[in-house]
């Protein structure tokens, strides 16, 4: 049975009282963009500590270096030994149970435990997100994530050396983290229409890379005080972020008195709304008589969401795209600390700082993919092209990334651009497009469910990539990069049918424009094209 949502968030109610007047629709949209950006950046920041501390927990192979304060210290530092609190990361040291011969495999296992629970919980979380109040659901997920990420770090201070403790903490953190992505995408879908959705969401999706960068820097900045702080600090950030969401996030326009159709209007409707009025450059939706919540239609079932055209191909594509992206997310700092770059090895802390450049490239890639897909009106063509382009870049990074420091940085950023571009596009604009597909006949209660199906399937690949890397890396990093190239190739091939359909649509549109008669003045009378959903 559909739930009646709560009234305006308490923080916004206080701001209204102090200001004595309302915000307009445009202001609310900016606030929603900012809050969801910060919220999901917190989610990703809380996932980075495990990648930063891998080389501390498992110091084999024997390449370690002296840490220096960042950003004052050099990014690349020649290896000797590293002191982390009372823990010396030298041969035979580390943290039980991760410093044995199977330490690398165990680190891979806790990654896969997190991601397996994350992907399994995603399907449930998506349906719950379309059923429950998104603000409260997102708040619960963020606070729960913060608690269990922090508890993982407390294992250092409580001197816990039992593997199952860390495994369980990661599994519970994964379940709570599953609440994030379906919720934030659904909120954005509620407030924004399809016009320039790819560009808007490409810019907004920079929260993923910003979160990764922030998490890396936070975790690395406190390593010298003990690796436990590398978890507690990001955990505290997402906990506080959850409180901020509870106080200020209006998940639905109706919660603050707007009667617009949840942002799911065509571009024409946005430019000239039927239910609203035009005030300057701002589109003002008609306000409801009261600020109470109204009931919405029933949430779309999982099986019904699977039948939406395009959901399955994009979900399978994301499986392999996230396999590649999350292998970098969890293993890049470890790879950098174990690989010669210009004849030197970088310290654990420097490797964590350096790995953020991959995400800098990812920010550019997400925005570029969104812009191109809007211009071409071709999501599948854009995503597939980026995945194919990632293959030679990954090969070049493996072959030439160790030649010099400069080449490593340049190639790493290009790898981030092509790997994260399609990943960002599919999880944002494509998910929102399919969640408002014309086959749903205006039902907006499918956004979180569709997003969860696509990202949940992708998260299975995200779990598989780091797990395989934990085992394959013991044989050599060439084998790991071969796996990544194969994953990128399959991701592109899975979109072949949609790519072909989009090429046919573009060709048909060009022919239609060429055959359109001109009026007396010589201008072309163009038919009004329907918004593409995928």
């Amino acid at each position: 049975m559909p739930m009646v949502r709560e009234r305006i968030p308490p923080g916004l109610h206080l701001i209204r009282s102090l200001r004595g007047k309302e915000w307009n629709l445009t202001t609310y949209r900016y606030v929603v963009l900012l809050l969801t950006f910060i919220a999901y950046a917190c989610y990703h920041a809380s996932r980075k500590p495990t990648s930063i501390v891998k080389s501390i927990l498992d110091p084999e192979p024997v390449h370690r270096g002296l840490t220096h304060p960042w950003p004052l210290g050099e990014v690349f530092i020649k290896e000797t030994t590293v002191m982390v609190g009372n823990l010396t990361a030298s041969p035979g040291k580390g943290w039980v149970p991760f410093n044995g011969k199977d330490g690398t495999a165990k680190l891979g296992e806790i990654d896969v435990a997190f991601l397996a629970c994350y992907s399994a919980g995603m399907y449930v979380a998506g349906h719950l997100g379309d059923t429950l109040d998104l603000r409260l659901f997102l708040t619960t997920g963020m606070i729960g994530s913060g608690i269990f990420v922090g508890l993982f770090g407390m294992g250092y201070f409580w001197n816990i050396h039992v593997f199952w403790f860390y495994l369980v903490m990661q599994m519970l953190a994964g379940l709570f983290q599953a609440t994030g992505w379906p919720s934030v995408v659904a909120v954005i879908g509620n407030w924004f229409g399809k016009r320039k959705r790819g560009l808007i969401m490409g810019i907004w999706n920079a929260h993923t890379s910003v979160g990764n960068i922030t998490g890396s820097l936070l975790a690395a900045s406190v390593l010298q005080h003990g690796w436990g702080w590398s978890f507690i600090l990001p955990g505290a950030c997402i906990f506080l972020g959850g409180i901020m969401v509870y106080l200020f996030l209006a998940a639905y326009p109706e919660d603050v008195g707007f009667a617009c159709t949840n942002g799911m209007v065509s571009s024409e409707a946005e430019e000239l709304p039927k239910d609203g009025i035009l005030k300057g450059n701002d589109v003002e939706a008609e306000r409801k008589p009261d600020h109470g919540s109204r009931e919405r239609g029933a949430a779309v079932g999982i099986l019904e969401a699977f039948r939406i055209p395009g959901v399955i191909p994009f979900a399978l594509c994301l499986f392999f795209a996230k396999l590649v992206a999350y292998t970098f997310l969890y293993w890049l700092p470890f790879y950098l600390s174990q690989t010669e770059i210009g004849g030197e090895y970088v310290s654990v802390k420097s490797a964590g700082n350096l790995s953020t450049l991959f995400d800098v490239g990812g920010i550019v890639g997400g925005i570029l993919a969104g812009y191109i897909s809007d211009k071409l009106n071709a999501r599948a063509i854009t995503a597939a092209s980026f995945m194919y382009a990632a293959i030679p870049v990954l090969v070049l990074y493996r072959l030439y990334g160790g030649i010099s420091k400069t080449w490593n940085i340049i190639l790493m950023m290009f790898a981030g651009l092509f790997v994260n571009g399609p990943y960002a596009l599919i999880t944002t604009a494509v998910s929102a497009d399919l969640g408002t597909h014309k086959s749903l006949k205006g039902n907006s209660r499918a956004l979180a469910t569709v997003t969860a199906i696509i990202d949940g399937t992708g998260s299975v690949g995200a779990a598989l990539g780091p797990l395989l890397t934990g085992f394959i890396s013991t044989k050599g990093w060439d084998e790991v990069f071969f796996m990544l190239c194969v994953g990128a190739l399959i991701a592109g091939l899975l979109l072949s049918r949609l790519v072909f359909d989009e090429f046919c649509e573009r060709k048909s549109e060009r022919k239609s424009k060429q055959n359109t008669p001109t009026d007396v003045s010589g201008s072309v009378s163009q038919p009004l094209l329907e918004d593409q959903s995928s």
Side-chain angles (χ1 to χ4, degrees):
M1 180 177 179
M3 292 183 59
V4 178
R5 283 195 294 280
E6 291 191 353
R7 58 184 180 273
I8 182 174
L12 291 182
H13 182 73
L14 177 62
I15 292 174
R16 277 182 172 183
S17 301
L18 294 175
R19 293 182 76 246
K21 62 180 181 179
E22 286 282 10
W23 283 338
N24 58 31
L25 179 62
T26 301
T27 301
Y28 274 115
R29 282 179 166 176
Y30 281 128
V31 171
V32 167
L33 276 175
L34 177 63
L35 289 176
T36 52
F37 185 99
I38 294 173
Y40 209 69
C42 288
Y43 272 100
H44 262 264
S46 68
R47 298 175 193 174
K48 284 297 291 184
T50 52
S51 68
I52 300 300
V53 303
K54 272 186 171 74
S55 295
I56 299 298
L57 301 177
D58 175 28
E60 298 290 347
V62 190
H63 296 309
R64 290 296 174 270
L66 185 66
T67 59
H68 294 261
W70 188 94
L72 298 178
E74 295 178 279
V75 172
F76 290 92
I77 303 163
K78 190 173 181 179
E79 291 295 303
T80 53
T81 184
V82 60
M83 293 294 295
V84 183
N86 62 356
L87 176 64
T88 306
S90 57
K93 300 295 183 179
W95 190 264
V96 178
F98 302 106
N99 62 344
K101 292 183 179 179
D102 61 344
T104 304
K106 283 187 174 179
L107 290 171
E109 287 171 15
I110 65 169
D111 286 345
V112 79
F114 172 89
L115 291 167
C117 290
Y118 175 79
S119 58
M122 185 77 72
Y123 294 99
V124 178
H127 187 68
L128 289 176
D130 280 328
T131 307
L132 306 176
D133 185 282
L134 282 172
R135 176 171 62 92
L136 299 180
F137 189 58
L138 188 56
T139 298
T140 302
M142 295 181 72
I143 290 177
S145 296
I147 290 172
F148 290 108
V149 170
L151 285 175
F152 189 103
M154 288 304 298
Y156 172 83
F157 299 99
W158 294 337
N159 203 29
I160 296 175
H161 297 278
V162 182
F163 178 65
W164 67 261
F165 171 81
Y166 300 103
L167 189 70
V168 170
M169 290 304 102
Q170 283 290 80
M171 292 172 70
L172 291 173
L175 287 174
F176 277 96
Q177 289 261 327
T179 61
W181 191 241
S183 299
V184 294
V185 172
V187 170
I188 292 298
N190 289 337
W191 280 94
F192 292 88
K194 295 179 182 179
R195 185 170 52 124
K196 295 185 179 179
R197 178 179 276 170
L199 178 59
I200 291 172
M201 286 193 155
I203 297 172
W204 172 75
N205 192 67
H207 54 51
T208 298
S209 297
V210 169
N212 289 340
I213 293 169
T214 304
S216 296
L217 297 181
L218 286 176
S221 68
V222 291
L223 265 177
Q224 64 268 29
H225 303 297
W227 64 259
W229 286 110
S230 296
F231 289 86
I232 292 173
L233 189 56
C237 288
I238 191 172
F239 186 97
L240 295 175
I243 296 175
M244 177 195 65
V245 164
Y246 174 77
L247 292 175
F248 298 105
L249 180 64
Y252 312 87
E254 298 96 315
D255 289 349
V256 287
F258 287 98
C260 58
T261 57
N262 299 312
M264 283 171 240
V265 289
S266 67
S267 58
E268 292 79 12
E270 278 188 326
E271 291 165 4
L272 191 60
K274 296 179 180 178
D275 298 327
I277 56 176
L278 215 55
K279 293 186 177 180
N281 293 327
D282 295 333
V283 177
E284 292 286 353
E286 180 185 339
R287 291 193 177 275
K288 296 187 294 185
D290 58 67
H291 291 195
S293 297
R294 61 181 176 89
E295 292 189 355
R296 296 159 62 85
V300 171
I302 293 178
L303 292 178
E304 185 179 351
F306 263 113
R307 289 195 291 266
I308 297 173
V311 166
I312 292 177
F314 273 114
L316 293 176
C317 172
L318 190 63
F319 176 96
F320 290 97
K322 289 191 77 168
L323 182 151
V324 178
Y326 269 67
T327 297
F328 276 96
L329 175 68
Y330 280 97
W331 286 96
L332 182 56
F334 187 81
Y335 170 74
L336 290 170
S337 67
Q338 307 301 332
T339 305
E340 274 193 71
I341 303 173
E344 298 178 355
Y345 289 94
V346 299
S347 68
V348 176
K349 188 171 182 177
S350 295
N353 293 331
L354 180 62
S355 68
T356 61
L357 296 175
F358 178 85
D359 293 295
V360 172
I363 294 174
V364 178
I367 296 173
L368 188 62
Y371 175 77
I372 293 173
S373 70
D374 278 343
K375 275 289 186 182
L376 300 178
N377 197 16
R379 308 287 197 216
I381 292 174
T382 305
S385 298
F386 270 67
M387 291 311 307
Y388 291 139
I391 297 172
V393 174
L394 290 174
V395 173
L396 290 173
Y397 181 61
R398 175 56 185 161
L399 292 177
Y400 300 107
I403 289 179
S404 70
K405 304 166 186 179
T406 303
W407 274 108
N408 189 282
I409 291 174
I410 293 173
L411 291 173
M412 187 195 304
M413 293 181 70
F414 270 101
L417 187 153
F418 288 110
V419 168
N420 282 352
Y423 161 37
L425 180 65
I426 295 171
T427 53
T428 54
V430 169
S431 295
D433 286 350
L434 296 176
T436 57
H437 194 270
K438 60 185 178 182
S439 65
L440 295 171
K441 299 178 180 178
N443 186 356
S444 64
R445 295 300 294 262
L447 263 172
T449 301
V450 169
T451 300
I453 288 173
I454 293 176
D455 200 48
T457 304
S459 296
V460 177
L464 184 62
L467 175 66
L468 291 175
T469 302
F471 293 100
I472 297 174
S473 63
T474 59
K475 298 181 179 180
W477 288 104
D478 288 339
E479 286 78 1
V480 173
F481 275 83
F482 178 76
M483 176 192 75
L484 298 178
C485 290
V486 171
L489 176 62
I490 297 174
L493 292 175
L494 284 167
L495 295 180
S496 297
R497 176 62 186 272
L498 295 178
V499 169
F500 177 77
D501 289 343
E502 287 183 351
F503 270 120
C504 291
E505 288 175 8
R506 302 292 84 75
K507 186 176 180 180
S508 177
E509 288 175 5
R510 284 195 296 270
K511 286 184 177 179
S512 177
K513 289 180 180 180
Q514 291 173 357
N515 296 331
T516 301
T518 57
D519 58 23
V520 178
S521 63
S523 61
V524 178
S525 303
Q526 297 185 6
L528 187 64
L529 296 177
E530 183 181 2
D531 244 3
Q532 299 296 320
S533 298
S534 172

